[in-house]
Amino acid sequence: MSASHLIDCYARSFIQVAINQGYDLQTILEYSGVPVGTPADQHKQSFNFTELLMLSRQVKSLLKNQFCELTTTGGRPGFIELMLDLALSAPNLEQALNKAFRFYSVLSPNIQFTLVEEGELVAVQQEIADSSSEFCHFLSEWWTLVMWSIASWLIGEKIDCIRFEFAHAPQISEHEYALALGVPCQFFQPKARFVFRKEYLHKPVIKEAGKVDEFLFSACRFGEIPGTSEPIKLRLANFLRAYFMDHKEFPLMEYAAKQCELNSHTLRRRLSEEGASFNQIKEDVRRVVALNLLADNSKSICEISIEAGFSDTSSFSRAMKNWTGFYPSEYRSRSIEKAPARQSETEH
């Protein structure tokens, strides 16, 4: 359930971006405070999450560009702060994101974000004007995660994504992406985006204007990769999702507790302190898996009910009605009616 491989991948990208802009390894080391090996050693060098954040901040500061000079326009220092100040004036997340994206489109036209509604789901979708850079994939993934972090910060809670989609090939194994991010990740898709339940859009913006700097410079907020410093309920959810994707069933609580480096009694107590329970988290994971499977129109309702771990379609239908207010076929029909045309994977 470690995000270490993805952290290493991003850290090395930041280092290489600075090198490509003419900075040597010693300068990067002195400026960021992060030990940086020789080019020959970097492919096997490991970084922790704090070091990744230090490299992110300091390379951007070194280059005086939030996009690390990977786009032809935009990314000047200060534009993120202005965007957040504007977003904080909105009453709810939907209006906050739309304000932020309009502002973003003016100051950074090379990277665009839009809200796309698809039935009971919504996606924050990204488009990069120039995808020719060797670091385009890194830029796309990093700023998708940053936008997820920003949206979660605005409402004061982590947005529970249904899935991530990226237009390129995975930089590490798809399984490791799922372990790091806690939800399925699909590649070779038309656009980079993260998908979540539409109900989040109506949640109120709760952050205060004076807290922008705190967010931007907090080592556990800006650009955070979930799975590295999570409450125990989120660590457990990440593990259960990955386990379920591999085994199509949930492990016993004793086994899950061991993976979280706890005993079952301590895990139960910690979850209770965070207002959660083992069964509730299993139910949440099953819901996310089921909703993601319903997006695949090639699968029948019967196949999905089995893959989501239900004994029969009747049980699945009752669960879907309870989760969304719709039976599986109704939910799928509503999503298809409102979804934009999508390219097939074979077209890539």
Side-chain angles (χ1 to χ4, degrees), residues 170 172-179 183-188 245:
I172 56 177
S173 75
E174 293 186 38
H175 178 68
E176 289 178 303
Y177 274 96
L179 287 175
V183 294
C185 297
Q186 299 176 355
F187 295 85
F188 302 105
M245 289 168 63

Side-chain angles (χ1 to χ4, degrees), residues 14 51-61 142 222:
F14 276 118
E51 290 172 337
L52 169 61
L53 290 174
M54 291 169 65
L55 283 166
S56 166
R57 290 198 299 267
Q58 300 304 350
V59 168
K60 291 171 187 175
S61 177
W142 182 259
F222 188 52

Side-chain angles (χ1 to χ4, degrees), residues 5 11 26 34-35 64 98 116 118 120 136 146 156-157 161-162 181 193 212 231 239 249 270 279 291 307 333 343:
H5 289 168
Q26 186 60 31
V34 176
K64 296 181 173 58
N98 281 326
V116 179
E118 300 180 351
E120 303 306 310
C136 179
V146 167
E157 65 177 280
C161 288
I162 303 296
L181 301 179
R193 54 196 224 152
V212 171
F239 168 70
E249 64 180 7
R270 293 275 300 275
N279 286 337
L291 293 179
E307 289 191 41
S333 296
Q343 291 174 280

Side-chain angles (χ1 to χ4, degrees), residues 55 91 136 149 156 229 232 240 303 309 333 346:
L55 283 166
C136 179
S149 183
S229 57
I232 192 64
L240 290 179
E303 289 174 319
S333 296
T346 58

Side-chain angles (χ1 to χ4, degrees), residues 240 250 277-290 310 318-320 322-323:
L240 290 179
F250 290 110
S277 71
F278 186 71
N279 286 337
Q280 173 205 326
I281 292 174
K282 287 198 301 182
E283 178 77 359
D284 289 343
V285 169
R286 197 187 301 276
R287 171 182 50 77
V288 170
V289 170
F310 290 90
R318 288 194 296 272
M320 279 295 297
N322 182 55
W323 292 332

Side-chain angles (χ1 to χ4, degrees), residues 1-141:
M1 57 186 295
S2 171
S4 60
H5 289 168
L6 197 57
I7 289 173
D8 290 344
C9 182
Y10 291 161
R12 291 172 191 142
S13 293
F14 276 118
I15 292 170
Q16 192 59 49
V17 164
I19 290 173
N20 288 0
Q21 293 297 322
Y23 293 94
D24 57 50
L25 292 172
Q26 186 60 31
T27 300
I28 299 170
L29 169 62
E30 293 174 353
Y31 207 84
S32 66
V34 176
V36 178
T38 65
D41 294 333
Q42 279 177 33
H43 72 282
K44 59 184 178 181
Q45 183 176 358
S46 294
F47 301 86
N48 60 42
F49 185 65
T50 299
E51 290 172 337
L52 169 61
L53 290 174
M54 291 169 65
L55 283 166
S56 166
R57 290 198 299 267
Q58 300 304 350
V59 168
K60 291 171 187 175
S61 177
L62 194 65
L63 301 179
K64 296 181 173 58
N65 190 288
Q66 287 290 322
F67 296 138
C68 301
E69 300 289 350
L70 296 178
T71 61
T72 56
T73 60
R76 294 179 60 185
F79 94 91
I80 293 290
E81 289 90 332
L82 290 174
M83 182 185 75
L84 290 178
D85 280 335
L86 182 64
L88 286 166
S89 66
N92 60 39
L93 181 62
E94 181 176 20
Q95 293 185 41
L97 290 178
N98 281 326
K99 281 188 174 186
F101 296 162
R102 285 196 297 271
F103 180 83
Y104 205 97
S105 68
V106 174
L107 292 192
S108 56
N110 286 101
I111 302 181
Q112 300 288 296
F113 287 93
T114 54
L115 277 177
V116 179
E117 294 188 17
E118 300 180 351
E120 303 306 310
L121 302 179
V122 66
V124 169
Q125 185 165 287
Q126 176 201 98
E127 185 165 357
I128 297 181
D130 180 8
S131 58
S132 61
S133 168
E134 63 176 306
F135 292 102
C136 179
H137 298 172
F138 158 63
L139 185 68
S140 175
E141 289 181 20

Side-chain angles (χ1 to χ4, degrees), residues 96-301:
L97 290 178
N98 281 326
K99 281 188 174 186
F101 296 162
R102 285 196 297 271
F103 180 83
Y104 205 97
S105 68
V106 174
L107 292 192
S108 56
N110 286 101
I111 302 181
Q112 300 288 296
F113 287 93
T114 54
L115 277 177
V116 179
E117 294 188 17
E118 300 180 351
E120 303 306 310
L121 302 179
V122 66
V124 169
Q125 185 165 287
Q126 176 201 98
E127 185 165 357
I128 297 181
D130 180 8
S131 58
S132 61
S133 168
E134 63 176 306
F135 292 102
C136 179
H137 298 172
F138 158 63
L139 185 68
S140 175
E141 289 181 20
W142 182 259
W143 279 95
T144 298
L145 292 176
V146 167
M147 276 302 174
W148 180 26
S149 183
I150 286 174
S152 298
W153 176 77
L154 286 168
I155 60 174
E157 65 177 280
K158 178 186 170 183
I159 291 176
D160 188 13
C161 288
I162 303 296
R163 65 183 179 274
F164 282 88
E165 299 176 13
F166 298 106
H168 52 266
Q171 301 184 79
I172 56 177
S173 75
E174 293 186 38
H175 178 68
E176 289 178 303
Y177 274 96
L179 287 175
L181 301 179
V183 294
C185 297
Q186 299 176 355
F187 295 85
F188 302 105
Q189 300 300 307
K191 305 288 182 184
R193 54 196 224 152
F194 60 93
V195 182
F196 55 97
R197 298 192 309 280
K198 191 175 179 179
E199 63 196 56
Y200 280 106
L201 293 182
H202 307 302
K203 288 183 177 285
V205 171
I206 66 171
K207 296 301 177 183
E208 301 173 5
K211 301 294 185 179
V212 171
D213 286 345
E214 175 187 316
F215 168 68
L216 289 177
F217 294 102
S218 170
C220 64
R221 289 286 186 179
F222 188 52
E224 178 172 355
I225 299 175
T228 57
S229 57
E230 299 284 5
I232 192 64
K233 64 181 179 182
L234 297 180
R235 284 174 54 196
L236 177 62
N238 285 349
F239 168 70
L240 290 179
R241 285 168 181 158
Y243 187 96
F244 190 87
M245 289 168 63
D246 281 345
H247 302 279
K248 306 306 179 188
E249 64 180 7
F250 290 110
L252 295 175
M253 186 175 186
E254 289 73 16
Y255 182 81
K258 184 177 180 180
Q259 302 309 304
C260 294
E261 301 179 345
L262 301 169
N263 60 48
S264 58
H265 175 75
T266 302
L267 176 61
R268 189 178 292 108
R269 176 179 57 79
R270 293 275 300 275
L271 289 173
S272 178
E273 290 172 354
E274 295 179 8
S277 71
F278 186 71
N279 286 337
Q280 173 205 326
I281 292 174
K282 287 198 301 182
E283 178 77 359
D284 289 343
V285 169
R286 197 187 301 276
R287 171 182 50 77
V288 170
V289 170
L291 293 179
N292 189 60
L293 288 170
L294 276 170
D296 184 352
N297 296 325
S298 68
K299 293 182 181 293
S300 70
I301 300 300

